């Protein structure tokens, strides 16, 4: 397992994680952003726009931007907060991450890991905080991200925030993709002033722009890619909501850092805390986690059995 710090073509620092079977991941210090996750065959599993701009203050279009301390533009801060356009530091002495049984850290010499930290600076947000993120490429190629937010205010003030791991997945053709696990859930539709609706019983497919915040989403969501015969399973903890976004053709054309046809090859499924913001008192910490695995999907009489995928992993 190796971890190395290198420069990208634009001179930005990035950490490369490698596991022995050949899977890799890359994490830019700018934004603390995972910008690549490849399986052992070298296939890219995340979407990164060919037009992505690797220059502050623009956030990198693709990979896994961290939206903090505000998701969306509803609030006093810039759209999706400032964490995605700050330079994070490598955290050389992270406090241990306690698991739910209260013991141990998840570091292991079988995994390739980097710990990053973002501290408050002269942000528009009048609070002192630390955001710690551990990105781990596990043996076998699964990618795990644990993120912790701590209130370090010394003036006794609590703060509240919303947050998302804005994960862009690479897909063969959005017209052939289904999202499983969000059926029958209530959602807020960002395209209709966050009006609430209830999703129908069928899995989610795409034939136009989608921008929805699913509420009380389950711990597992599957992105089933029929053409690639691959399913990505998102396991999440601590993030009650999940955003599903595809800009479709018109919005794609309006984004300067996104190719006109790239909407066909991506979908965002984002573990998030949106409806009920997290409030932390000084000294308190919140923790969330996502783990991504890519598994081959099998056809059963021409049809996928997503139920099995969700139960299986
Ligand atoms: C999604 C939001 O998470 O991010 C969308 O739900 C938004 O409303 C999209 O358009 C992209 O945001 P941005 O700021 O990266 O262009």
């Amino acid at each position: 397992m190796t971890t190395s710090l290198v420069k990208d073509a634009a001179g930005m620092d990035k950490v490369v994680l490698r596991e022995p079977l050949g899977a890799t991941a890359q994490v830019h210090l700018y934004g603390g952003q995972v910008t690549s996750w490849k399986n052992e065959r070298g296939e890219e599993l995340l979407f990164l726009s060919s037009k992505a701009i690797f220059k502050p203050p623009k956030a990198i279009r693709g990979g896994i931007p961290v939206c903090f301390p505000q998701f969306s533009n509803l609030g006093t801060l810039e759209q999706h907060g400032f964490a995605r356009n700050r330079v994070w530091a490598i955290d050389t002495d992270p406090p241990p991450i306690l698991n739910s049984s209260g013991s141990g850290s998840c570091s292991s010499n079988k995994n390739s890991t980097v710990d990053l930290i973002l501290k408050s600076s002269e942000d528009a947000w009048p609070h002192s905080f630390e955001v710690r993120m551990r990105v781990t490429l596990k043996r076998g190629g699964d990618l795990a991200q644990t993120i912790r937010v701590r209130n370090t205010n010394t003036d006794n003030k609590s703060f509240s925030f919303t947050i998302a791991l804005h994960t862009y997945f690479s897909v063969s053709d959005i017209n052939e993709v289904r999202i499983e696990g969000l059926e029958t859930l209530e959602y807020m539709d960002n395209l209709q002033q966050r009006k609430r609706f209830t999703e129908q019983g069928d899995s989610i497919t795409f034939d136009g722009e989608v921008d929805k915040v699913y509420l009380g989403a389950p711990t597992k969501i599957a992105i089933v890619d029929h053409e690639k015969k691959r399913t990505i399973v998102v396991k999440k903890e601590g993030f009650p909501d999940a955003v599903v976004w595809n800009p479709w053709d018109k919005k794609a054309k309006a984004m300067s850092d996104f190719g006109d046809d790239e909407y066909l090859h991506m979908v965002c499924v984002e573990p998030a805390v949106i409806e009920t913001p997290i409030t932390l008192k000084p000294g308190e910490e919140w923790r969330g986690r996502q783990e991504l695995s890519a598994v081959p999907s099998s056809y059963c009489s021409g049809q996928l059995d997503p139920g099995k995928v969700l139960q299986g992993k």
Side-chain angles (χ1 to χ4, degrees):
M1 306 284 163
T2 58
T3 303
S4 47
L5 180 65
V6 298
K7 298 264 181 215
D8 73 3
M12 282 179 147
D13 288 322
K14 66 179 181 185
V15 175
V16 180
L17 307 176
R18 290 192 177 81
E19 63 86 66
L21 299 178
T24 58
Q26 297 188 1
V27 188
H28 272 74
L29 299 194
Y30 180 61
Q33 190 160 330
V34 178
T35 45
S36 171
W37 170 43
K38 289 183 181 169
N39 63 17
E40 70 285 358
R41 288 184 299 283
E43 295 162 348
E44 183 57 69
L45 303 167
L46 298 179
F47 166 84
L48 180 69
S49 173
S50 62
K51 294 198 163 178
I53 296 166
F54 290 80
K55 193 169 174 225
K58 190 83 185 151
I60 301 168
R61 175 72 65 197
I64 314 182
V66 177
C67 303
F68 171 85
Q70 175 186 298
F71 180 83
S72 82
N73 58 3
L74 295 175
T76 54
L77 302 174
E78 61 210 89
Q79 156 97 342
H80 288 341
F82 48 74
R84 64 179 181 163
N85 46 31
R86 292 284 183 280
V87 178
W88 295 46
I90 291 182
D91 192 1
T92 47
D93 190 20
I97 299 172
L98 296 181
N99 62 29
S100 39
S101 65
S103 65
S105 107
C106 73
S107 78
S108 139
N109 58 9
K110 292 199 177 139
N111 299 331
S112 179
T113 286
V114 63
D115 286 291
L116 299 182
I117 182 164
L118 179 72
K119 290 186 183 178
S120 36
S121 55
E122 287 106 61
D123 295 308
W125 205 46
H127 296 290
S128 176
F129 65 85
E130 287 172 0
V131 183
R132 288 194 154 81
M133 187 167 65
R134 170 169 291 177
V135 182
T136 301
L137 184 64
K138 297 174 81 172
R139 194 183 167 88
D142 289 2
L143 186 79
Q145 248 177 315
T146 302
I147 186 156
R148 296 184 280 168
V149 178
R150 174 172 286 275
N151 181 336
T152 52
N153 276 336
T154 50
D155 56 5
N156 231 6
K157 281 198 188 129
S158 298
F159 62 61
S160 299
F161 63 91
T162 49
I163 188 166
L165 295 176
H166 194 310
T167 314
Y168 287 76
F169 292 101
S170 166
V171 297
S172 51
D173 176 356
I174 190 68
N175 295 293
E176 302 293 328
V177 165
R178 313 174 79 85
I179 312 281
E180 305 286 348
L182 303 173
E183 307 77 20
T184 72
L185 290 187
E186 198 180 354
Y187 66 88
M188 300 192 287
D189 194 338
N190 283 333
L191 302 177
Q192 300 186 58
Q193 293 78 45
R194 290 202 168 184
K195 223 170 122 192
R196 283 169 184 257
F197 298 91
T198 302
E199 196 58 72
Q200 300 306 305
D202 296 335
S203 61
I204 292 149
T205 53
F206 297 82
D207 58 6
E209 185 182 357
V210 172
D211 190 352
K212 296 177 178 176
V213 179
Y214 289 90
L215 307 170
T219 51
K220 282 187 195 176
I221 300 168
I223 300 144
V224 184
D225 189 334
H226 287 228
E227 219 171 284
K228 283 207 167 118
K229 296 197 173 68
R230 178 169 72 205
T231 295
I232 302 232
V233 180
V234 180
K235 285 199 262 172
K236 63 179 184 59
E237 276 171 38
F239 293 100
D241 306 320
V243 179
V244 175
W245 180 61
N246 182 293
W248 220 251
D249 56 347
K250 229 167 113 198
K251 222 162 242 179
K253 289 199 176 94
M255 289 189 282
S256 58
D257 60 346
F258 192 91
D260 289 358
D261 294 329
E262 285 184 335
Y263 74 93
L264 291 166
H265 307 297
M266 55 73 69
V267 66
C268 287
V269 176
E270 315 165 29
V273 182
I274 296 172
E275 192 193 26
T276 308
I278 305 288
T279 299
L280 294 178
K281 293 189 188 127
E284 283 185 339
E285 184 174 276
W286 168 88
R287 174 186 158 193
R289 178 178 160 85
Q290 80 165 349
E291 188 163 333
L292 310 176
S293 356
V295 295
S297 8
S298 48
Y299 283 85
C300 174
S301 357
Q303 284 207 315
L304 284 162
D305 186 350
K308 275 191 192 147
V309 170
L310 287 177
Q311 284 153 23
K313 259 256 166 184

